[in-house]
Amino acid sequence: MALFLSIGFYISVKDDSSDEVLIKDHHTSEMSPTLPKNPDIKQSKISRERPKEGLSLLIGKKLSALEKELGRPQRIDESAYGYQWYIYNLDYSRYVQVGVENNRIVTVYAIGKNLDVAPFEIGQPVEEIFNTQYIDANIEIDQDGNSYRFELNDTDLNIRPVVRLGNVYVQLYIDKFTGNLSSVRFLDADTLIKQRPYELVYSGKLIEADEPSIEMWREIEVGEEKQIFDITNVLRVRHDLKPLLWDEKTAKAAYGHSKDMAKNNDFSHTSKKFGTLSDRLKSAKVVYQAAGENIAANYIDGPASVEGWLNSKGHRDSMLNKDFSHLGVGVFQKYYTQNFIQKWKQ
């Protein structure tokens, strides 16, 4: 039996607050008998057709269609899944990342409030979504003679369910504190299987992304650091807060901590070698009035880690703290660190 196991932890810490820990896990194994579908929802009354408008229409199209629709991106980032992220961050209200592989669009991550993510809307109440969409605990995919079934647990169903619309899969990230839709991720089947964001049971061949080289990992990490920074500011602007400024020294401290956690398999705010957040910021010669830190591990990518932090009070408080002025982000493979600081006023 093939087995895949990953565990993600989230902690937010400040000098004046206690740690908060959330744990989630998912695994992949060979196919077992199909579980019954949700009997409480009448599937026949809800359309599962692909939308006729919005960003989901980009899935499967060539790169030229993207540039015609959105223009040239502000930058292009590498990913760990074989596609490149085309980043559109000029306007936080229209922030979107589009994944392009072999000249075709395979995924779209949209969080800007003024984007067309039909049949959904950013900020839409979760009650509307559950009343108009078929939310299933089991998503089954037959691909090239192979069978895959994603099994969503209760937490998945409540804060990040997935919906199938035609040949497009839609991950819905719910902000549990507001009860509204935070962001949307559209994917084709292959990309969803490569990422494995939920427990996956399969028979046949498992579609997997190639392991990045050491050089490619650093390119991926730099891109995710920028994405986490951008998405954090999207959320701050959404909550009527000033966007944070990037601080390079703080980012180096954050990267060092992510790398230290990965190399030593020690998920903690306190490094056995480099000490506490205060110790690490002092070593990096960061001058600050107040500081905070969020860490995460084993999320599929930077955007997913930010949505995870958003749904944990301690981390959310750090990201939406009105007193913080600067942010440094450090990513090492699947370890993520945000270091927030408030600089001394001149």
Side-chain angles (χ1 to χ4, degrees):
M1 175 178 291
L3 181 66
F4 173 85
L5 175 67
S6 67
I7 302 176
F9 301 79
Y10 310 81
I11 307 175
S12 178
V13 64
K14 295 180 188 176
D15 292 339
D16 58 352
S17 67
S18 60
D19 289 353
E20 178 183 358
V21 182
L22 283 165
I23 303 174
K24 79 175 185 67
D25 60 44
H26 56 273
H27 74 269
T28 305
S29 62
E30 294 177 352
M31 184 69 81
S32 58
T34 302
L35 298 177
K37 294 185 181 294
N38 188 341
D40 300 325
I41 301 177
K42 295 182 179 180
Q43 181 177 356
S44 60
K45 292 186 178 181
I46 297 176
S47 173
R48 284 187 157 189
E49 295 181 359
R50 186 168 175 174
K52 294 180 172 58
E53 60 181 351
L55 289 171
S56 71
L57 295 182
L58 290 173
I59 301 296
K61 290 188 175 181
K62 293 183 178 180
L63 175 59
S64 57
L66 170 62
E67 294 179 340
K68 182 178 179 180
E69 181 73 20
L70 298 179
R72 298 186 67 82
Q74 276 65 63
R75 69 172 190 270
I76 300 176
D77 296 341
E78 298 294 340
S79 83
Y81 302 100
Y83 55 80
Q84 291 181 307
W85 279 121
Y86 281 57
I87 309 294
Y88 294 84
N89 67 348
L90 197 59
D91 178 355
Y92 283 146
S93 71
R94 297 184 61 81
Y95 182 92
V96 61
Q97 303 182 191
V98 181
V100 179
E101 183 176 9
N102 296 327
N103 200 42
R104 289 198 177 272
I105 299 165
V106 298
T107 184
V108 176
Y109 173 75
I111 191 171
K113 66 179 181 180
N114 291 334
L115 295 170
D116 185 352
V117 294
F120 310 100
E121 294 182 16
I122 302 299
Q124 182 179 9
V126 67
E127 293 85 357
E128 288 184 11
I129 294 172
F130 277 76
N131 287 333
T132 58
Q133 298 297 324
Y134 182 67
I135 307 297
D136 197 350
N138 300 294
I139 303 297
E140 298 185 5
I141 303 173
D142 292 320
Q143 195 83 337
D144 300 325
N146 304 302
S147 297
Y148 309 91
R149 185 176 73 241
F150 287 103
E151 299 177 351
L152 282 66
N153 59 34
D154 289 343
T155 299
D156 296 330
L157 290 170
N158 284 323
I159 64 173
R160 53 186 199 124
V162 62
V163 176
R164 180 173 183 171
L165 298 175
N167 62 348
V168 174
Y169 296 85
V170 191
Q171 272 188 293
L172 305 170
Y173 291 100
I174 307 297
D175 181 342
K176 73 177 184 181
F177 289 93
T178 64
N180 297 330
L181 182 63
S182 174
S183 63
V184 172
R185 192 189 297 247
F186 301 104
L187 313 96
D188 65 13
D190 282 1
T191 305
L192 181 62
I193 295 166
K194 284 181 185 178
Q195 293 184 352
R196 301 200 294 274
Y198 312 99
E199 182 173 296
L200 174 63
V201 181
Y202 74 98
S203 65
K205 183 180 179 181
L206 182 61
I207 301 173
E208 297 185 279
D210 294 334
E211 177 65 23
S213 65
I214 294 175
E215 294 77 13
M216 180 59 74
W217 261 124
R218 190 56 197 138
E219 290 189 44
I220 294 167
E221 293 158 1
V222 169
E224 290 195 329
E225 289 166 358
K226 294 175 182 177
Q227 293 160 32
I228 290 172
F229 174 77
D230 284 338
I231 295 168
T232 299
N233 278 335
V234 171
L235 294 171
R236 287 179 65 87
V237 170
R238 180 183 294 176
H239 287 84
D240 299 320
L241 297 169
K242 290 182 179 180
L244 300 169
L245 300 176
W246 181 266
D247 188 80
E248 188 61 31
K249 290 182 179 179
T250 305
K252 288 181 179 179
Y255 175 74
H257 190 54
S258 289
K259 186 174 182 178
D260 178 60
M261 288 191 294
K263 294 296 186 182
N264 293 288
N265 193 28
D266 183 19
F267 189 84
S268 173
H269 286 289
T270 302
S271 165
K272 294 177 181 177
K273 183 176 181 180
F274 302 105
T276 64
L277 172 60
S278 297
D279 295 329
R280 289 180 271 116
L281 291 177
K282 182 178 180 180
S283 296
K285 295 181 169 52
V286 177
V287 180
Y288 62 95
Q289 183 174 351
E293 180 173 84
N294 285 345
I295 57 177
N298 291 336
Y299 265 72
I300 62 168
D301 58 16
S305 69
V306 177
E307 293 292 352
W309 284 325
L310 185 67
N311 272 325
S312 172
K313 189 178 185 307
H315 315 84
R316 182 190 187 92
D317 288 348
S318 292
M319 290 198 297
L320 301 181
N321 187 320
K322 66 180 179 60
D323 294 325
F324 288 141
S325 58
H326 292 72
L327 171 62
V329 182
V331 176
F332 184 83
Q333 296 185 8
K334 292 301 179 72
Y335 284 79
Y336 310 90
T337 300
Q338 287 180 309
N339 283 164
F340 303 87
I341 61 169
Q342 178 187 8
K343 289 201 172 184
W344 290 98
K345 295 181 180 179
Q346 299 297 325

